[in-house]
């Protein structure tokens, strides 16, 4: 049975990009893969200046949103990364074996470094910690969005390098599991939906707040007037229909767009209904968890203990094989 692992940064809110690209898949995979591991990666979130109180709150909020989205702590192991400090021990070991050039070639590093005056080593070494997150559980399937593909490649290289020196076959080479919604664009239709770009739609936003964002969202740029026929294949709103609307609605929307039967605003109203149908139950569950925060803390405590036992077992073998114990 493949072992599933994935992680998410506690960077504020769960948005429809990381929900559709990853977390929704986590919920599906927990049914077929009991013991799937899902981690709020707080060590990854401290590679810049931050406020400890804000980090603590965001870590809790992210765990609460993941539970509200449908991750079930009786099926999956949900935990916070710093509850398992062995991740950082394995990351150090992998750091000693990772060529600097490979880290410098990572596109996420290059993008982030370009926006900073002083670049911290943690930003460069970030994907090494990510490899340790996955491999410490000897996980071989990683449900993520497309933007993580390069980091996953580095995880495979890391596993191969360690195995060649210390034990063939010990670490698996983790494969990326993508969803059809592997890259959700922001409502500007220009760039990936991302918290750092401020173009997100939050999973827990009200229907009204979401409508205010959908209404001005960019559609097929060639469609200037309502009477112009549109092309759903180049329309970001249509790509969201594919994620949120029933299949027969998608087909109807495409026909109405191509024939100019509907204007873009009509199409957006139907999308808003689909979004509301999917997100309203999630919002309800978040409200229940807010009324009972102990349920979140309990889930994390249980998950942290289960994850740590697994990680310690791997580290015992790693130390042994490396002459460290
Ligand atoms: P993070 O926190 O940026 O994003 C969490 C997950 O959401 C996916 N995602 C998207 N998918 C589709 N469209 C989008 N616009 C979009 N935005 C985000 C991401 O691909 C990711 O799957 N480095 C990771 C966290 C991490 C991790 C790991 C993941 C740390 N260790 C080990 C997997 C395994 C990150 O920053 O994800």
């Amino acid at each position: 049975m493949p072992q599933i692992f994935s992680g998410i940064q506690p960077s504020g809110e769960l948005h429809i990009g990381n929900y559709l690209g990853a977390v929704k898949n986590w919920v599906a995979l927990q049914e077929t893969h009991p013991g799937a591991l899902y981690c709020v990666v707080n060590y990854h979130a401290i590679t810049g200046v931050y406020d400890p109180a804000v980090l603590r709150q965001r870590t809790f909020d992210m765990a609460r949103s993941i539970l509200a989205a449908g991750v079930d702590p009786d099926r999956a192991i949900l935990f916070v990364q710093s509850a398992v400090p062995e991740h950082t021990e394995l990351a150090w070991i992998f750091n000693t074996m990772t060529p600097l050039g490979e880290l410098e070639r990572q596109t996420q590093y290059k993008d982030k470094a370009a926006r900073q005056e002083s670049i911290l080593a943690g930003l460069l070494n970030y994907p090494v910690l990510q490899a340790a997150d996955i491999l410490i559980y000897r996980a071989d399937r990683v449900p993520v969005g497309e933007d993580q593909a390069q980091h996953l490649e580095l995880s495979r290289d890391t596993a191969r390098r360690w195995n060649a020196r210390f034990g063939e076959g010990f670490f698996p080479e983790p494969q990326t599991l993508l969803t059809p919604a592997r890259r959700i664009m922001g409502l500007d239709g220009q760039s990936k939906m991302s918290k750092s770009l401020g173009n997100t739609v939050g999973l827990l936003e009200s229907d009204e707040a979401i409508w205010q964002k959908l209404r001005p969202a960019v559609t097929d740029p060639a469609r200037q007037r309502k009477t112009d026929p549109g092309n759903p294949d180049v329309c970001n709103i249509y790509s969201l229909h594919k994620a949120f609307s029933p299949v027969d609605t998608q087909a109807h929307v495409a026909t109405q767009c191509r024939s100019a039967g509907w204007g873009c605003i009509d199409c957006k109203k139907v999308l808003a209904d689909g979004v509301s149908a999917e997100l309203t139950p999630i919002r309800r569950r978040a409200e229940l968890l807010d009324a009972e925060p102990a349920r979140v803390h309990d889930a994390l405590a249980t998950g942290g203990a289960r994850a740590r036992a697994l990680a310690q077992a791997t580290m015992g073998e790693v130390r042994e094989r490396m002459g460290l114990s």
Side-chain angles (χ1 to χ4, degrees), residues 129-147:
L129 178 57
Q130 182 158 345
D133 297 338
I134 299 165
L135 295 175
I136 204 162
Y137 303 103
R138 297 161 86 173
D140 46 11
R141 299 283 189 282
V142 186
V144 284
E146 192 178 69
D147 59 354

Side-chain angles (χ1 to χ4, degrees), residues 68-146:
V71 166
D72 174 356
D74 292 329
R75 289 197 169 87
I77 300 177
L78 176 68
F79 70 107
V80 174
Q81 191 180 27
S82 59
V84 188
E86 286 78 8
H87 287 223
T88 60
E89 183 185 358
L90 187 58
W92 170 255
I93 287 170
F94 288 159
N95 264 319
T96 65
M97 308 173 61
T98 307
L100 203 50
E102 268 187 38
L103 296 177
E104 285 167 341
R105 274 199 297 278
Q106 299 290 311
T107 8
Q108 290 218 341
Y109 166 72
K110 287 196 281 187
D111 289 350
K112 287 191 179 154
R115 285 187 252 146
Q116 290 177 20
E117 255 176 47
S118 154
I119 300 158
L120 302 172
L123 191 63
L124 182 70
N125 295 328
Y126 179 110
V128 180
L129 178 57
Q130 182 158 345
D133 297 338
I134 299 165
L135 295 175
I136 204 162
Y137 303 103
R138 297 161 86 173
D140 46 11
R141 299 283 189 282
V142 186
V144 284
E146 192 178 69

Side-chain angles (χ1 to χ4, degrees), residues 17-269:
N18 38 42
Y19 172 68
L20 297 172
V23 175
K24 193 172 174 186
N25 206 14
W26 299 4
V27 176
L29 287 163
Q30 70 186 356
E31 302 299 329
T32 43
H33 298 76
L37 290 137
Y38 301 133
C39 182
V40 182
V41 293
N42 54 351
Y43 284 134
H44 282 275
I46 58 172
T47 55
V49 178
Y50 73 97
D51 178 337
V54 172
L55 177 66
R56 188 173 291 113
Q57 185 63 45
R58 287 185 172 173
T59 304
F60 175 87
D61 288 348
M62 184 52 79
R64 175 271 250 139
S65 298
I66 292 168
L67 291 171
V71 166
D72 174 356
D74 292 329
R75 289 197 169 87
I77 300 177
L78 176 68
F79 70 107
V80 174
Q81 191 180 27
S82 59
V84 188
E86 286 78 8
H87 287 223
T88 60
E89 183 185 358
L90 187 58
W92 170 255
I93 287 170
F94 288 159
N95 264 319
T96 65
M97 308 173 61
T98 307
L100 203 50
E102 268 187 38
L103 296 177
E104 285 167 341
R105 274 199 297 278
Q106 299 290 311
T107 8
Q108 290 218 341
Y109 166 72
K110 287 196 281 187
D111 289 350
K112 287 191 179 154
R115 285 187 252 146
Q116 290 177 20
E117 255 176 47
S118 154
I119 300 158
L120 302 172
L123 191 63
L124 182 70
N125 295 328
Y126 179 110
V128 180
L129 178 57
Q130 182 158 345
D133 297 338
I134 299 165
L135 295 175
I136 204 162
Y137 303 103
R138 297 161 86 173
D140 46 11
R141 299 283 189 282
V142 186
V144 284
E146 192 178 69
D147 59 354
Q148 297 301 313
Q150 198 185 21
H151 286 167
L152 263 291
E153 206 174 303
L154 190 120
S155 298
R156 288 191 286 277
D157 292 343
T158 306
R160 228 174 282 134
R161 258 193 300 270
W162 191 95
N163 288 350
R165 284 182 59 189
F166 302 111
E168 267 319 325
F170 183 78
F171 286 123
E173 292 183 25
Q175 304 302 312
T176 308
L177 293 182
L178 296 172
T179 67
R182 59 191 60 180
R183 183 176 161 87
I184 297 291
M185 302 298 280
L187 294 179
D188 52 7
Q190 299 296 313
S191 38
K192 189 189 74 170
M193 183 172 288
S194 151
K195 181 76 188 165
S196 59
L197 298 174
N199 62 0
T200 58
V201 175
L203 212 61
L204 303 180
E205 286 190 64
S206 68
D207 286 348
E208 178 53 27
I210 292 177
W211 175 245
Q212 291 310 327
K213 289 183 176 180
L214 284 182
R215 208 162 40 123
V218 171
T219 54
D220 171 5
R223 193 172 183 198
Q224 303 279 338
R225 286 175 300 264
K226 192 174 170 178
T227 48
D228 296 338
N231 178 2
D233 298 333
V234 300
C235 177
N236 191 34
I237 291 298
Y238 186 66
S239 72
L240 291 174
H241 271 293
K242 286 199 216 156
F244 284 109
S245 299
V247 179
D248 48 344
T249 308
Q250 290 171 33
H252 186 56
V253 163
T255 309
Q256 293 299 326
C257 175
R258 287 206 173 89
S259 64
W262 285 355
C264 292
I265 205 77
D266 304 314
C267 174
K268 288 173 175 175
K269 279 184 189 148

